[in-house]
Amino acid sequence: MRLTNVAHLRLPFGRLVGYNVTVTPTDRMLPISFDQHRHVSVGDRAGSWMAVSLRLPKPVPRAALAAAWLAVVRRHGTLRSVFERGDDGGLVLREVEIGEGEWAPHEIAPGQTVSDALREVIDATCTPFSRPSHRLCVLETADGPTIVIAADHSHVDMWSMLVLGRDLLAALAAAGEGRHPELDPAPAFAEHTRALEDRPTAPEDVRRRWAEVLAASGDAMPRFPLSLGEPSPQRERVEVRDVLGVDDVAAFSAQARDYGVSTLALVVSAMTHVTHELAGSPLRAVFPVHSRYDATWLDSVGWFITNSVIESVDPDPVACAAAVKEAVQLGAWPLADVLQPWGGMPEAPRMFAISWLDLRRLPVRIDSLGLEAQYVGATILTDGVMLWFILDAQGLHLRCRYPDTAQGREHVGAWLDALVTHLRSEARASVGGLLTLGNRHFRVQRAARGDVPAIVGLLADDELGRDREVAELAHYEAAFDAIAHDSSHYLVAVRDEGDRIVGTMQLTVIPGLSRAGATRLQIEGVRVAAHERSRGLGTAMLEWAHGHGRARGATVAQLTTDLSRSRAHDFFRALGYASTQAGLTRDL
């Protein structure tokens, strides 16, 4: 799922409309969480929101969209609450009733980008004291609408945005089937706030550790260790980087498993290493952790994120895993009590925060590719560094926001460059791509275009290939280009200690509807150099291929081999393959 900023949001041109709901106050007051109070107390301002965009495949009547959105609002209590100032000037959170409204057009001025027009709308309607502080916007085109769901941060987090997208799609599906788009109520965030108030206060060792980490940053929340220039809010610079692709994520995660740690811990190890290298200091950062501590809240919407702190002194992966574990524990207690000695959360310029979200592990799913789904952040003034990591089925992505000053560009840019380089180096040196046979070591890599001649040489080096393959490389290079542009294919180059290509195979992940929607791994073109045959390399390659398929959801491996290759048949049977199907081919 793409992680972007509203200024970078990719939107088609069309008619931009928003749905104005009606709001009726009630006399019911709701509890306010620590983070809500901290956020809303700053007052109304532009850019305090977050959003998600979804592109639907065909036009949807406005009436159906409105009915679906109202069903989502009825499901989630926080969307039916508004912040106000009480008679004493303090904050109150009032429950309201949300009713049917009307669609309002939003002008896109001459020369104005669609994303800028959208930003103006959301900045105006999704502030802490807006009534309500959420907005459904629709960009209508002939090909179908792009839906944008936005809300002030006081009512949502990134997980919640995914829930809202999923629930809106479910309500639209019900409407499309002629059913009333009603959704079962989810536990309200206010109930979670009450539950947190009843939790015990933090033990003394937790308080002491918080004090130690804050003291290292001058009795403030952790700060970015390098200068950002003028210590006042500046226009932001937002960088969005695709750090690791699917293959590199699999290799990186394999390396983490080899160390006995999580993928997150190994990323923290990289950040610790880079911070030591560039700043000569430990990694210290604000570390948001979610408070959905049991299954009750998995489908709820609200600000289920609280802040912790992480201090990572040693880049050793095991030490970093311990630092992550400690950060989660430090964030498991009511923060109002923990931070009371500082009068609340002690923020200061250069505050450094690191957020991690592994979408693959969330119990909430949408078709992010088919819907072109994007998490959208606001444009703000900032004096700190905020780093978001998203790990999904397409790889590891980051978004970083920092002050757009000369020092910010130099120091944060260098830190990000070093981090990305370190993460990619770790992935490419991973044990996940290493085949060890006795004292021999081979490296499995995705083939590059320059590898085509060597791979063709392997394909031609057997009794059938001598007559079937040709000397002209142009056809092979065109085929390579087609393979390289489709991520479901993986053309393997296996290199020996001298960097010579001594093995190859082509792997293709094939989703399908049969076998209850099973995904298959197709294996073709398995070849090993003549001088490396009968030494276990082919077996190791196939075992690696099976792991490659499993990591991508495949439950069945299949291959074809020429009927005349009797030795190959014996080899594959020894690895558990059986002749359960009859494969047929014909020339076209």
Side-chain angles (χ1 to χ4, degrees):
M1 188 166 180
R2 191 168 186 267
L3 187 64
T4 191
N5 172 274
V6 67
H8 302 162
L9 184 59
R10 302 169 185 168
L11 291 172
F13 185 77
R15 294 176 300 278
L16 180 61
V17 297
Y19 189 57
N20 291 330
V21 297
T22 58
V23 180
T24 305
T26 73
D27 58 3
R28 294 184 291 275
M29 299 300 173
L30 303 172
I32 302 174
S33 76
F34 172 82
D35 288 296
Q36 283 181 316
H37 193 281
R38 180 176 61 82
H39 175 85
V40 178
S41 292
V42 178
D44 270 343
R45 70 271 192 196
S48 64
W49 51 267
M50 56 179 56
V52 64
S53 72
L54 310 169
R55 190 167 184 175
L56 304 187
K58 59 183 180 181
V60 178
R62 288 184 183 179
L65 280 170
W69 178 239
L70 290 172
V72 173
V73 172
R74 287 191 294 272
R75 174 170 165 79
H76 298 292
T78 194
L79 300 183
R80 303 190 311 279
S81 64
V82 297
F83 284 97
E84 302 173 350
R85 291 288 182 185
D87 294 338
D88 61 355
L91 286 182
V92 295
L93 180 59
R94 182 185 299 275
E95 185 174 332
V96 298
E97 295 176 354
I98 302 291
E100 293 182 9
E102 60 184 9
W103 291 96
H106 297 305
E107 181 185 4
I108 302 174
Q112 185 180 35
T113 64
V114 177
S115 60
D116 188 55
L118 178 67
R119 177 193 57 77
E120 288 183 351
V121 171
I122 301 176
D123 277 349
T125 57
C126 297
T127 65
F129 289 101
S130 295
R131 302 171 65 87
S133 59
H134 53 77
R135 184 75 167 177
L136 176 69
C137 291
V138 182
L139 187 63
E140 298 174 330
T141 72
D143 293 331
T146 294
I147 308 298
V148 179
I149 303 170
D152 185 74
H153 196 355
S154 56
H155 295 286
V156 295
D157 53 24
M158 291 181 76
W159 183 322
S160 297
M161 300 312 298
L162 201 59
V163 172
L164 291 175
R166 180 203 62 187
D167 289 352
L168 180 65
L169 294 171
L172 282 174
E177 295 169 0
R179 296 182 287 114
H180 185 62
E182 199 60 44
L183 303 170
D184 292 335
F189 180 66
E191 297 172 27
H192 180 270
T193 301
R194 292 191 184 97
L196 283 184
E197 290 173 348
D198 295 336
R199 301 192 80 180
T201 58
E204 186 55 37
D205 62 324
V206 169
R207 298 171 186 275
R208 183 174 60 252
R209 191 70 184 102
W210 267 93
E212 290 171 354
V213 176
L214 297 192
S217 297
D219 275 330
M221 299 297 277
R223 308 186 201 199
F224 190 73
L226 299 168
S227 172
L228 301 176
E230 182 65 30
S232 61
Q234 305 289 321
R235 293 185 65 176
E236 67 176 6
R237 169 67 55 180
V238 176
E239 294 194 37
V240 178
R241 304 196 188 192
D242 294 319
V243 182
L244 300 176
V246 176
D247 302 329
D248 281 344
V249 164
F252 190 87
S253 298
Q255 186 63 58
R257 288 192 299 272
D258 190 64
Y259 287 135
V261 302
S262 67
T263 301
L264 169 58
L266 195 53
V267 171
V268 170
S269 170
M271 291 190 288
T272 304
H273 175 87
V274 167
T275 304
H276 272 298
E277 186 177 70
L278 297 185
S281 68
L283 173 71
R284 296 187 185 95
V286 179
F287 192 75
V289 295
H290 78 78
S291 58
R292 289 176 168 89
Y293 46 79
D294 63 42
T296 304
W297 315 107
L298 298 184
D299 291 317
S300 295
V301 168
W303 192 343
F304 289 91
I305 298 293
T306 189
N307 285 316
S308 183
V309 287
I310 187 168
E311 182 178 61
S312 180
V313 177
D314 183 354
D316 177 77
V318 174
C320 291
V324 171
K325 182 177 180 180
E326 179 188 58
V328 173
Q329 292 169 341
L330 293 177
W333 305 93
L335 277 192
D337 172 61
V338 170
L339 296 176
Q340 189 276 329
W342 293 271
M345 197 168 94
E347 300 184 44
R350 295 204 337 264
M351 190 170 81
F352 184 28
I354 299 168
S355 176
W356 175 269
L357 185 61
D358 186 347
L359 294 180
R360 305 171 309 172
R361 301 179 63 182
L362 292 191
V364 184
R365 293 280 192 277
I366 63 171
D367 177 12
S368 58
L369 277 180
L371 295 165
E372 299 180 25
Q374 301 179 81
Y375 278 121
V376 186
T379 298
I380 64 169
L381 299 178
T382 187
D383 58 10
V385 178
M386 180 72 211
L387 180 62
W388 294 266
F389 286 99
I390 291 284
L391 184 56
D392 63 12
Q394 284 74 54
L396 177 65
H397 323 276
L398 70 78
R399 180 178 74 192
C400 186
R401 182 180 67 210
Y402 59 88
D404 193 14
T405 61
Q407 295 94 328
R409 291 186 184 187
E410 177 185 359
H411 292 146
V412 181
W415 191 91
L416 290 173
D417 287 344
L419 174 62
V420 171
T421 298
H422 189 98
L423 292 171
R424 289 174 178 169
S425 296
E426 190 81 51
R428 285 158 194 175
S430 164
V431 296
L434 189 65
L435 306 180
T436 301
L437 303 174
N439 62 354
R440 299 289 309 280
H441 301 285
F442 301 87
R443 173 69 58 187
V444 179
Q445 295 178 332
R446 184 182 284 272
R449 204 171 195 269
D451 298 329
V452 170
I455 291 174
V456 172
L458 290 175
L459 294 174
D461 187 23
D462 72 4
E463 61 277 9
L464 294 179
R466 292 186 190 99
D467 298 324
R468 191 164 54 192
E469 308 304 337
V470 298
E472 175 57 51
L473 284 177
H475 298 296
Y476 296 102
E477 289 172 339
F480 174 86
D481 292 340
I483 292 168
H485 292 144
D486 185 342
S487 61
S488 63
H489 298 295
Y490 191 115
L491 181 60
V492 171
V494 180
R495 300 178 184 274
D496 66 9
E497 301 90 338
D499 206 37
R500 295 178 294 267
I501 295 178
V502 295
T504 188
M505 56 186 168
Q506 182 175 335
L507 311 177
T508 303
V509 175
I510 307 172
L513 296 182
S514 63
R515 296 198 180 199
T519 296
R520 298 168 184 261
L521 173 68
Q522 180 75 24
I523 304 174
E524 294 286 346
V526 181
R527 299 289 192 277
V528 174
H531 65 279
E532 296 289 359
R533 292 173 191 162
S534 302
R535 298 182 180 183
L537 180 56
T539 298
M541 288 168 55
L542 266 292
E543 289 172 348
W544 187 94
H546 298 158
H548 172 91
R550 281 190 290 268
R552 288 152 183 78
T555 57
V556 178
Q558 61 188 31
L559 53 83
T560 59
T561 182
D562 196 277
L563 290 174
S564 67
R565 296 184 188 273
S566 57
R567 289 185 61 193
H569 301 168
D570 294 339
F571 168 72
F572 291 124
R573 288 192 186 97
L575 290 172
Y577 287 83
S579 300
T580 58
Q581 310 287 324
L584 305 174
T585 64
R586 62 159 289 173
D587 292 335
L588 296 179

